[in-house]
Amino acid sequence: MINDLWYKNAVIYCLSVATYMDANGDGIGDFQGLTRRLDYLQGIGVTALWLMPFQPSPFKDDGYDIVDYYGVDSRYGTLGDFVEFAHGCRQRGMRLLIDLVVNHTSNEHPWFKEARRDPKSKYREWYVWSKKKPRNAASGMVFPGVQKSTWTHDQTAKAYYFHRFYDFQPDLNTANPKVQAEILKIMGFWLQLGVSGFRMDAVPFVIAEKGPEIARPKEQYEMLRGFTQFLNWREGEAIILGEANVLPDTDMEYFGGAGERLQMMFNFEVNQNLFLALATSDSRPLVKAMRATKSRPATAQWGQFLRNHDELDLGRLNEADRETVFAAFGADLDMQLYGRGIRRRLAPMLQGDRRRLELAYSLMMTLPGTPVIRYGDEIGMGDDLHLPERNCARTPMQWSTEPHAGFTKNDKPILPTISVGPYGFQHVNVAAQRRDPNSLLNWMERTIRMRKEVPEIGWGDFSFISTGTPQVLAMRYDWRNNSVLFVHNLSSEPREVRLALKREGEADCILANLLSDDHSRAEKGAPHHILVEPYGYRWYRVCGLDYLLKRSDT
Ligand code: GLC
Ligand code: CA
């Protein structure tokens, strides 16, 4: 398999321009500020950025309500600033992905305004209407508890319009060829400005049938092939990273049997079960999820993540398991959201326990796929539960001990910086962690560097090695006659495990520790004995004896 599928072994970092760095002091992050931080990002070692929406927006859903797909919100700068930034990424060899939010527009988008006003407008058919209130209007909400229906009456249009998300986000009629053509045009526009692809928002809803009569919407998977084909005509290396929180048995529909649909998807199945495994110190749910999502075309890749900008959605777990994760990581009702998830940041969920944070990150980076890191998690940022819904985990990046964490010189940042408690910027910030060789930030940088040196994870086949205890997970990857082995102890107790490496020629191998000097050597034919401390982890390269000899030669 050719190596130039860059996303097979990338390290993606996601951020929101609004809360990253404010250069002009108006309290809102901007492209100039972000551009100044590119060297920081390159320094941690990330190879691609994913920007959340930055197009003009009334900002009722953090920018996921767009009024102009071909622009930059003036609060963040100009298109010129965007291009400078994109160029800055390219100069540093970093690829750029941007959010593509085309399931819906803002209700203030000129298309929707036209559509409401004039039944004869060409934009009328760009949205989804019903004269009467559809029977299923009170079902299918994405934000239960906050959103009351999926069909809302519009006085001007004298009809109901469909919205899978909030009522200010009318769904585009994505089956309409004109809408599809416009989606391609939007992609083409940003490709021309230098992006390497898109994180496609809400994919299952984009491709679902929409309409008043549709009770169980079917997915129009072939639509995805159309998007990807266009993308690759325009730009060979461009990809779509799909947000599709779907059951494993439909994964292959999204990737396409020959990888002709989406190149990447977030692995929500593994994500939820990873948290269940962390909550119970039992690796079995994670193993099961990894097996269920194992098959994918050779060119496709998973995006593996811990937390993102939304709630940690636990909707796929059964009720008992969900309650277990709630009890462990978000016991207060205020920490939970939409009846299905936890809205906190990772560090407070793990009580700021460095051992558990490292364990969680080590796991994420060694799961089959490409890791996606959320901004601020590299320094262990916290959340502000006073902020509504998902905003609690979207506070400004904490750069230093200067006022407002050095994010802005303005007294009114777009969202308040965290300034009290153990996660306040006085304690958790980049400047301090940069100077401390033992900080989480420097750990992250070292770990990312090593992750990039282990392409077996991105390209190889994984298998599990029996450890004799569900608390300890051992997985290996094989690729091009190279093998790596990862051991994770999910429990708070030290564990001794015996690992039998059974393949031919391995009986007498050495496990070379990639992160420290503590290698493991087994007696001839005997299993490796490894003692792993509480929440400990090991990254090994499986080496034959000739490796040892070579080392002593030099
Ligand atoms: C996706 C985004 C979420 C947004 C929603 C509507 O789920 O991740 O943040 O609210 O789509 O666009
Ligand atoms: Ca600004």
Side-chain angles (χ1 to χ4, degrees):
M1 180 63 59
I2 30 175
N3 282 2
D4 50 348
L5 306 184
W6 62 272
Y7 54 91
K8 293 284 284 186
N9 250 325
V11 180
I12 302 177
Y13 182 100
C14 72
L15 66 92
S16 169
V17 181
T19 50
Y20 207 61
M21 182 65 205
D22 173 24
N24 66 354
D26 65 354
I28 304 172
D30 43 48
F31 275 107
Q32 289 190 13
L34 172 56
T35 306
R36 287 188 203 161
R37 290 299 184 237
L38 279 175
D39 292 315
Y40 165 78
L41 291 165
Q42 190 188 24
I44 339 178
V46 300
T47 62
L49 303 180
W50 151 32
L51 300 192
M52 336 241 100
F54 52 79
Q55 290 83 358
S57 163
F59 219 62
K60 288 193 193 154
D61 182 17
D62 213 19
Y64 284 89
D65 44 335
I66 291 176
V67 296
D68 176 9
Y69 288 96
Y70 301 98
V72 165
D73 193 296
S74 59
R75 289 169 295 186
Y76 306 144
T78 63
L79 263 183
D81 293 327
F82 174 84
V83 170
E84 285 303 294
F85 160 72
H87 176 67
C89 293
R90 174 157 305 182
Q91 268 186 321
R92 291 166 181 82
M94 279 193 274
R95 289 194 168 79
L96 179 56
L97 304 175
I98 65 170
D99 237 291
L100 180 67
V101 189
V102 291
N103 176 64
H104 45 265
T105 67
S106 159
N107 60 351
E108 293 175 38
H109 195 295
W111 301 337
F112 189 66
K113 287 192 188 162
E114 272 285 312
R116 304 169 56 194
R117 202 175 46 83
D118 178 5
K120 293 209 191 68
S121 147
K122 71 167 194 177
Y123 294 114
R124 188 72 160 203
E125 295 310 312
W126 285 37
Y127 294 88
V128 187
W129 302 97
S130 173
K131 276 272 160 236
K132 287 195 300 215
K133 184 172 188 167
R135 260 171 297 155
N136 56 6
S139 63
M141 284 83 73
V142 172
F143 304 121
V146 183
Q147 180 193 355
K148 295 199 175 52
S149 79
T150 49
W151 288 88
T152 293
H153 190 255
D154 185 82
Q155 298 246 324
T156 316
K158 298 193 181 57
Y160 289 81
Y161 65 91
F162 176 64
H163 54 90
R164 177 62 70 186
F165 295 87
Y166 298 110
D167 60 1
F168 53 81
Q169 290 167 323
D171 268 50
L172 280 165
N173 178 11
T174 42
N176 181 340
K178 298 214 168 92
V179 171
Q180 290 183 13
E182 188 75 26
I183 294 175
L184 301 187
K185 198 165 148 187
I186 295 167
M187 294 200 290
F189 177 83
W190 293 104
L191 284 177
Q192 201 73 21
L193 293 186
V195 310
S196 297
F198 304 90
R199 176 265 189 192
M200 193 175 212
D201 190 53
V203 177
F205 302 123
V206 173
I207 63 171
E209 296 171 313
K210 308 180 186 193
E213 303 305 332
I214 288 161
R216 305 187 105 255
K218 275 216 217 63
E219 290 85 1
Q220 313 294 303
Y221 295 112
E222 271 298 281
M223 207 190 279
L224 297 175
R225 191 232 292 256
F227 296 151
T228 292
Q229 214 170 42
F230 169 82
L231 213 63
N232 292 143
W233 287 334
R234 289 275 169 103
E235 185 64 64
E237 63 156 41
I239 63 155
I240 299 180
L241 161 56
E243 184 214 18
N245 189 347
V246 293
L247 289 174
D249 58 11
T250 59
D251 288 344
M252 285 303 280
E253 301 280 10
Y254 283 88
F255 285 133
E260 74 280 14
R261 291 176 186 163
L262 299 179
Q263 290 90 344
M264 282 190 82
M265 286 213 285
F266 289 106
N267 198 326
F268 283 93
E269 183 74 13
V270 160
N271 179 256
Q272 315 199 359
N273 283 286
L274 169 58
F275 278 95
L276 178 59
L278 292 174
T280 54
S281 303
D282 183 340
S283 64
R284 283 171 294 189
L286 176 59
V287 166
K288 202 169 150 211
M290 285 170 69
R291 286 203 168 115
T293 56
K294 182 164 184 170
S295 56
R296 57 173 195 253
T299 54
Q301 188 60 303
W302 285 117
Q304 302 285 9
F305 63 106
L306 290 166
R307 290 288 292 110
N308 61 17
H309 63 299
D310 290 324
E311 79 285 3
L312 163 64
D313 187 342
L314 301 168
R316 303 229 169 278
L317 302 182
N318 67 40
E319 206 177 317
D321 288 342
R322 188 162 46 246
E323 288 306 323
T324 305
V325 182
F326 277 150
F329 300 135
D332 298 354
L333 274 185
D334 190 32
M335 299 168 175
Q336 302 169 12
L337 196 59
Y338 312 132
R340 60 164 181 246
I342 299 178
R343 63 189 190 117
R344 308 176 78 191
R345 279 252 191 193
L346 184 71
M349 282 172 60
L350 300 179
Q351 288 159 335
D353 186 333
R354 177 68 181 268
R355 300 169 306 167
R356 298 174 80 190
L357 282 167
E358 286 186 18
L359 174 80
Y361 274 108
S362 169
L363 260 173
M364 177 186 89
M365 291 211 220
T366 55
L367 290 173
T370 282
V372 184
I373 301 167
R374 171 135 174 85
Y375 85 88
D377 279 2
E378 75 271 30
I379 53 171
M381 268 174 59
D383 46 46
D384 179 352
L385 295 173
H386 298 103
L387 298 174
E389 290 180 67
R390 294 159 289 159
N391 277 1
C392 62
R394 297 173 174 179
T395 58
M397 180 67 180
Q398 298 176 189
W399 295 107
S400 69
T401 53
E402 288 171 70
H404 300 292
F407 158 70
T408 180
K409 296 217 178 324
N410 195 283
D411 256 352
K412 285 210 170 65
I414 178 164
L415 282 176
T417 12
I418 296 180
S419 57
V420 293
Y423 298 97
F425 66 83
Q426 301 86 342
H427 312 291
V428 176
N429 66 69
V430 171
Q433 293 198 22
R434 206 185 253 131
R435 292 184 206 111
D436 173 4
N438 295 319
S439 66
L440 184 62
L441 178 62
N442 280 314
W443 177 89
M444 193 71 79
E445 188 188 317
R446 291 190 297 271
T447 310
I448 291 176
R449 173 182 303 148
M450 189 44 79
R451 170 64 183 77
K452 291 200 286 197
E453 292 181 28
V454 192
E456 289 83 356
I457 303 173
W459 287 98
D461 257 342
F462 70 86
S463 54
F464 298 103
I465 309 266
S466 162
T467 62
T469 162
Q471 279 97 347
V472 181
L473 174 66
M475 49 184 172
R476 70 180 281 167
Y477 289 85
D478 295 280
W479 186 58
R480 292 188 172 168
N481 293 324
N482 284 314
S483 306
V484 280
L485 176 73
F486 302 102
V487 183
H488 290 90
N489 176 6
L490 306 185
S491 77
S492 57
E493 307 286 325
R495 300 270 162 182
E496 191 181 357
V497 292
R498 294 154 152 260
L499 299 176
L501 299 175
K502 293 203 192 85
R503 305 214 182 152
E504 217 185 315
E506 279 181 358
D508 209 15
C509 72
I510 168 167
L511 296 177
N513 194 319
L514 295 173
L515 305 173
S516 80
D517 266 341
D518 161 31
H519 310 299
S520 167
R521 179 126 194 238
E523 291 304 311
K524 199 165 181 55
H528 285 264
H529 277 262
I530 299 169
L531 180 67
V532 203
E533 63 279 12
Y535 303 119
Y537 54 90
R538 299 281 187 280
W539 294 23
Y540 293 117
R541 189 164 284 287
V542 182
C543 305
L545 268 184
D546 51 335
Y547 170 85
L548 248 195
L549 295 176
K550 261 189 230 136
R551 273 196 67 180
S552 52
D553 279 353
T554 50

